[in-house]
Amino acid sequence: MKSRLVAMSYSLVGVLLVCGVWALLSSVVAPDLPSPLKTWEESRLYILSPWEKRGEMDQGILRMAAYSLVRVAKGFLLAIMIGAPLGFLLGSSPVFHRMFDPTIQVLRPISPLAWLPLGLILFRQSEPAALFTIALCSMWPTVINTASGVRSIPQDYLNVARVLRLSRWKKFTNVWLPATLPYLFTGFRLSLGIAWLVIVAAEMLTGTPGVGGFLWQEYNSLIYSHILLCILTIGIVGFVLDRLMGMAEARLRSV
Amino acid sequence: MYTRPLEISSLSKVFETPAGRFTAIKDFNARIAPDEFVALLGHSGCGKSTVLAIVAGLQEATLGGVIIDGTEISGPGLDRALVFQSPSLLPWMSALDNVLLAVRQSHPKLPLSAQRDLAVRYLNLVGAGEYMRQMPAELSQGTQQRVAIARAFSQEPRFLLLDEPFGMLDSMTRADLQDLLLRLWRQSPKTVLLVTHDVDEALYLCDRIILMTDGPEARVGMDLRVTLARPRSRQGLLDDPEYFRLRGVVFKYLELHSRQFRKEAA
């Protein structure tokens, strides 16, 4: 108990130190950067009534984050619905792997900023374009982890499946899926992280309500403190998401 | 019942390696009578596990093949149950579900309750009944191997293929499981092919020992009938001069071949 208190107080000191550097930077080096105090003053309304809706692009910060989360959830689901089966195919068939692995390695490092215009051309609407971008950027860790999970199924288990003459479907449900589940979840966790990273880019360019869209709008309105508010919100939400997925993953491993 | 032997006929296995073609087994011939208990004995790496894997249908012969009832096998079949060196139970299923998976495959027409009863019966027979709800990771190596043996017998196969099934166990557990295997085999006789490098295990369990020459190009070096009366007991064998004669024959063979092997390697 005591050591936990000590650890927490260390974290607090760290946060205070960062805020100190922030304050110093804003007062000495970068006068355009709002100080921590100014950021708080100008963001109070958004933080203290986080669910209030005053206008399309003027809403409480939690409400904005919720819009973004729903969008991320849709894109992420799309990503794993495509990514997991693709990973299974890639992991199980050497021919398929040889055919598509180079393409995947080329598509993987492409930035969301590059996909988005393509999405806009294809769908002519901002929402599907945003989902397209999120899915396309975030599915690769799921694809790659699933494939490597399938490839590392111990030969013993595959032999059991062969000796018992399990049908394709039974082999999948009794051996492949349970054996790759931990890998699959690691992929999901990494994919969700990327999906959240991409949301800002997607909303900035499409101008839809959400933390990313709000950030971009306030930049254009020269209210810089709100940019910092959005940045902090994105960071905290991303942290919480990762922790939740980590907990789910740990539960899965202990089963 | 079955009258025709399992035939391993002119079996050769060539592996393509980066260093070139490697002939592991060349012209291996053996016939195993119904309900006969046969050991395949040889130095490690001689290819005995490869012969077993080919009989199991997990690997393909390069030349020759395995004939059951006049038909050459192609791939695994539920008539041939396998016990591996590691228990290889599926870790995400309880002991019971592991056995049940085999029962469902081998007895697909039985109603679910009868399948369950069958699985439980075999788990009880191997003395693992009380552990049937537990996951493999919660069981000792010995108990896991008991469950694996139950899984193999629950298939009610015609052939039982054992690949060094007791190799990873301590000597006490090994003796227990050897006795268990003999008991099960007496209760429901089947043709057994046991791969081992333990001479005493082979003499205690088997009707016949097929000694393999060292690889590459391994084949049958000696076919030795174990002329010891059944039922056998460990204690009884120690008083039996025939046991020591057979033991001498096997050890002399193994020593001679390992010496030749070393000479060729030098």
Side-chain angles (χ1 to χ4, degrees):
Chain A
M1 196 62 220
K2 200 180 161 198
S3 66
R4 254 184 101 163
L5 232 89
V6 171
M8 271 174 72
S9 61
Y10 273 126
S11 311
L12 200 68
V13 170
V15 170
L16 287 175
L17 273 176
V18 171
C19 286
V21 172
W22 173 7
L24 203 70
L25 278 175
S26 68
S27 64
V28 182
V29 192
D32 283 337
L33 181 73
S35 71
L37 204 66
K38 191 176 174 213
T39 305
W40 166 248
E41 287 292 327
E42 293 182 359
S43 306
R44 273 176 70 162
L45 180 65
Y46 293 88
I47 299 168
L48 294 180
S49 35
W51 207 251
E52 199 180 340
K53 181 171 181 176
R54 288 172 294 268
E56 179 69 4
M57 281 308 230
D58 185 15
Q59 307 186 34
I61 197 65
L62 267 187
R63 207 182 173 93
M64 287 293 196
Y67 288 134
S68 298
L69 276 171
V70 168
R71 199 165 287 129
V72 161
K74 286 183 191 162
F76 171 68
L77 281 178
L78 203 61
I80 64 177
M81 272 160 49
I82 301 169
L86 197 63
F88 273 107
L89 277 176
L90 224 56
S92 58
S93 153
V95 174
F96 199 83
H97 179 256
R98 214 160 289 154
M99 260 159 88
F100 292 107
D101 190 59
T103 314
I104 286 172
Q105 297 305 336
V106 169
L107 293 180
R108 205 159 59 100
I110 297 174
S111 147
L113 298 172
W115 285 122
L116 199 68
L118 192 65
L120 286 169
I121 295 168
L122 284 173
F123 299 104
R124 294 170 190 282
Q125 275 176 338
S126 61
E127 193 63 24
L131 297 186
F132 164 82
T133 306
I134 295 167
L136 213 51
C137 287
S138 66
M139 67 189 240
W140 308 118
T142 295
V143 173
I144 288 161
N145 273 280
T146 309
S148 87
V150 170
R151 260 181 251 121
S152 50
I153 300 175
Q155 189 61 43
D156 274 355
Y157 303 158
L158 298 176
N159 281 343
V160 169
R162 289 184 64 195
V163 168
L164 294 181
R165 302 201 53 128
L166 298 184
S167 64
R168 251 168 217 279
W169 176 245
K170 277 193 176 168
K171 203 186 285 187
F172 179 76
T173 53
N174 286 301
V175 180
W176 283 30
L177 191 60
T180 36
L181 214 53
Y183 291 85
L184 210 60
F185 243 76
T186 304
F188 289 172
R189 183 184 184 176
L190 297 170
S191 282
L192 187 61
I194 293 184
W196 185 245
L197 273 180
V198 169
I199 186 76
V200 182
E203 288 178 354
M204 268 165 74
L205 295 185
T206 54
T208 38
V211 265
F214 184 51
L215 187 151
W216 193 242
Q217 183 209 243
E218 298 304 89
Y219 165 70
N220 288 324
S221 330
L222 308 178
I223 309 173
Y224 297 156
S225 55
H226 289 170
I227 296 179
L228 293 169
L229 170 67
C230 289
I231 288 176
L232 288 173
T233 308
I234 291 163
I236 290 165
V237 172
F239 171 75
V240 170
L241 279 182
D242 192 63
R243 272 298 157 93
L244 288 176
M245 284 301 273
M247 274 157 66
E249 207 182 335
R251 248 189 102 116
L252 202 82
R253 275 181 205 281
S254 68
V255 168
Chain B
M1 281 311 273
Y2 304 110
T3 52
R4 298 171 74 172
L6 173 113
E7 272 181 80
I8 304 174
S9 170
S10 313
L11 189 82
S12 294
K13 179 72 184 175
V14 179
F15 291 103
E16 301 288 347
T17 69
R21 289 162 67 85
F22 175 77
T23 307
I25 297 156
K26 191 171 182 184
D27 209 22
F28 184 104
N29 285 286
R31 290 158 75 88
I32 302 169
D35 300 344
E36 195 178 17
F37 202 136
V38 175
L40 206 53
L41 192 76
H43 288 288
S44 45
C46 74
K48 50 193 192 296
S49 288
T50 306
V51 172
L52 193 85
I54 293 171
V55 175
L58 289 174
Q59 286 189 33
E60 263 180 60
T62 312
L63 284 171
V66 177
I67 298 160
I68 295 173
D69 285 339
T71 316
E72 189 177 340
I73 61 154
S74 58
L78 286 158
D79 59 336
R80 282 158 281 144
L82 216 77
V83 178
F84 305 91
Q85 182 171 16
S86 68
S88 55
L89 301 174
L90 301 177
W92 41 84
M93 289 181 187
S94 67
L96 177 62
D97 285 339
N98 266 285
V99 177
L100 205 49
L101 185 67
V103 173
R104 286 204 179 127
Q105 291 299 110
S106 53
H107 301 77
K109 297 218 170 78
L110 280 185
L112 189 63
S113 63
Q115 288 174 336
R116 230 187 97 91
D117 291 346
L118 195 64
V120 171
R121 189 161 76 83
Y122 277 101
L123 279 165
N124 281 326
L125 272 179
V126 300
E130 57 183 307
Y131 305 114
M132 66 184 187
R133 303 215 170 279
Q134 298 193 26
M135 303 305 267
E138 299 167 333
L139 305 174
S140 68
Q141 278 272 337
T143 309
Q144 287 187 40
Q145 200 59 298
R146 279 174 199 272
V147 176
I149 291 170
R151 176 170 67 184
F153 272 88
S154 74
Q155 253 173 270
E156 306 197 321
R158 187 171 153 194
F159 303 96
L160 191 62
L161 310 175
L162 311 169
D163 191 358
E164 300 188 29
F166 312 126
M168 283 165 74
L169 306 174
D170 63 84
S171 55
M172 306 276 257
T173 313
R174 189 181 311 161
D176 280 351
L177 288 195
Q178 286 166 351
D179 291 339
L180 168 70
L181 180 62
L182 274 184
R183 204 169 63 236
L184 289 172
W185 176 67
R186 267 203 306 276
Q187 282 171 11
S188 50
K190 41 191 100 270
T191 312
V192 184
L193 187 56
L194 166 75
V195 162
T196 181
H197 51 229
D198 183 337
V199 175
D200 292 313
E201 178 171 279
L203 286 171
Y204 180 55
L205 296 175
C206 298
D207 298 317
R208 190 150 64 96
I209 301 177
I210 296 174
L211 286 141
M212 286 180 72
T213 64
D214 288 319
E217 304 197 353
R219 56 196 159 72
V220 177
M222 185 191 266
D223 196 332
L224 186 71
R225 192 152 290 282
V226 181
T227 46
L228 298 168
R230 287 185 194 270
R232 299 167 189 164
S233 74
R234 279 166 227 281
Q235 202 58 49
L237 289 185
L238 291 179
D239 299 328
D240 191 341
E242 179 66 4
Y243 173 69
F244 287 98
R245 187 188 70 80
L246 289 167
R247 210 167 175 265
V249 170
V250 175
F251 273 113
K252 196 181 256 172
Y253 172 91
L254 289 174
E255 201 182 331
L256 185 75
H257 277 264
S258 70
R259 209 180 295 143
Q260 260 178 8
F261 183 67
R262 259 183 250 131
K263 217 185 290 165
E264 278 165 26

